[in-house]
Amino acid sequence: MKRLVVALCVGVAALLPFATAQAQTMVVSTLEDKDPVTEMAEKVMAEAYRRLGMKMEVQEFPGERALQTANDGKVDGELYRKGDIAETFTHLIKIPVVISSADFVVFVKDSSISAYDWNSLLPYRVGYKRGVKSVEMNLVKGTKSEPVSSTDQAFKKLEAGRNDVVISPKITGLVLLSQLGITGVTALDPPLLSIQLFHYLHEKHKTLVPKLTATLQQMEKEGLIRDLHKQVELAAVLRAK
């Protein structure tokens, strides 16, 4: 699936430097199953590229294919991932400004389940979205993992009693439970994992890294990244009601 993401401009003046030229489109990969965490990253990066006179197109891929496609240079980069992913996918360069974040929590239907760390998940069938490295790389050996292609599938399996817990970003899970009409599921606190997320470029665009970094730093200084996050969070809370 492809989608062209264009930032909304504040005032006509913002468009003038690029009005006479065809904007370059940067194609970036991400996982399927768009959620609030992805929306945050899209809004931030669409605005960053706009400031550089560029557009951004997001292509969705299942599982690890998103990362592999970016690492192979078949697209221009990866929309967002955790901070150490370039240690494994070595052709990707991290832009060192946080563009999104996620609190991964355990969702349960059985109120007797207590999961407070990764080891405590060992007795349970654990559902999660396939390809989410923050989960896959932290599961303890021997965990009965039940990866599926989308988070909503994981919650449907939880409702049907085919897994015992689901690991998901908290805001994503709350929105999905509301949309699916699933009740009686609780998010446990504290989170298993809180992570910061970063944009990645393929090394063929290494000359763009300083400019994109400086642009994101300026947006951070303006408070715009924080404000975009709040917009997405508010919309997600309203959808979850």
Side-chain angles (χ1 to χ4, degrees), residues 67 71 78 80-96 98 132-138 193-200:
L67 267 174
N71 193 60
E78 171 78 11
Y80 70 93
R81 289 283 177 164
K82 65 192 186 80
D84 61 353
I85 208 70
E87 294 175 10
T88 304
F89 295 86
T90 56
H91 297 299
L92 296 178
I93 302 173
K94 180 174 76 173
I95 307 300
V98 177
V132 178
K133 293 299 180 184
S134 299
V135 175
E136 293 177 344
M137 296 174 72
N138 280 288
L193 178 69
S194 295
I195 60 170
Q196 296 178 322
L197 299 165
F198 302 84
H199 188 63
Y200 285 83

Side-chain angles (χ1 to χ4, degrees), residues 24-81:
Q24 178 184 351
T25 298
M26 296 292 288
V27 180
V28 299
S29 59
T30 195
L31 289 168
E32 292 178 322
D33 190 21
K34 185 175 179 179
D35 63 3
V37 177
T38 304
E39 288 181 43
M40 291 179 190
E42 282 193 4
K43 284 182 177 294
V44 171
M45 293 314 304
E47 172 60 15
Y49 281 118
R50 185 199 67 77
R51 291 184 179 203
L52 293 173
M54 308 167 85
K55 296 179 181 179
M56 182 180 73
E57 179 184 301
V58 179
Q59 292 188 2
E60 296 180 346
F61 297 89
E64 195 169 298
R65 276 184 56 199
L67 267 174
Q68 197 60 62
T69 299
N71 193 60
D72 291 345
K74 295 177 181 177
V75 294
D76 298 306
E78 171 78 11
L79 179 60
Y80 70 93
R81 289 283 177 164

Side-chain angles (χ1 to χ4, degrees), residues 54-215:
M54 308 167 85
K55 296 179 181 179
M56 182 180 73
E57 179 184 301
V58 179
Q59 292 188 2
E60 296 180 346
F61 297 89
E64 195 169 298
R65 276 184 56 199
L67 267 174
Q68 197 60 62
T69 299
N71 193 60
D72 291 345
K74 295 177 181 177
V75 294
D76 298 306
E78 171 78 11
L79 179 60
Y80 70 93
R81 289 283 177 164
K82 65 192 186 80
D84 61 353
I85 208 70
E87 294 175 10
T88 304
F89 295 86
T90 56
H91 297 299
L92 296 178
I93 302 173
K94 180 174 76 173
I95 307 300
V97 180
V98 177
I99 63 165
S100 191
S101 61
D103 290 330
F104 283 86
V105 302
V106 176
F107 288 86
V108 300
K109 193 173 180 69
D110 182 349
S111 60
S112 69
I113 292 176
S114 175
Y116 47 87
D117 61 18
W118 297 96
N119 284 309
S120 67
L121 296 172
L122 282 169
Y124 308 116
R125 296 167 296 172
V126 180
Y128 61 93
K129 179 179 172 181
R130 183 180 293 109
V132 178
K133 293 299 180 184
S134 299
V135 175
E136 293 177 344
M137 296 174 72
N138 280 288
L139 288 173
V140 176
K141 184 177 181 180
T143 300
K144 296 183 276 293
S145 60
E146 298 280 342
V148 289
S149 60
S150 65
T151 309
D152 61 342
Q153 290 181 19
F155 280 117
K156 289 175 183 177
K157 288 183 68 175
L158 179 65
E159 183 182 36
R162 288 161 45 210
N163 56 34
D164 303 306
V165 305
V166 170
I167 302 175
S168 165
K170 186 173 184 178
I171 192 169
T172 299
L174 294 175
V175 169
L176 281 175
L177 288 169
S178 176
Q179 292 175 341
L180 294 169
I182 296 176
T183 59
V185 173
T186 303
L188 301 182
D189 285 318
L192 280 179
L193 178 69
S194 295
I195 60 170
Q196 296 178 322
L197 299 165
F198 302 84
H199 188 63
Y200 285 83
L201 287 178
H202 186 266
E203 61 189 7
K204 65 187 176 182
H205 293 298
K206 62 183 178 181
T207 58
L208 182 58
V209 171
K211 295 178 183 179
L212 192 54
T213 299
T215 299

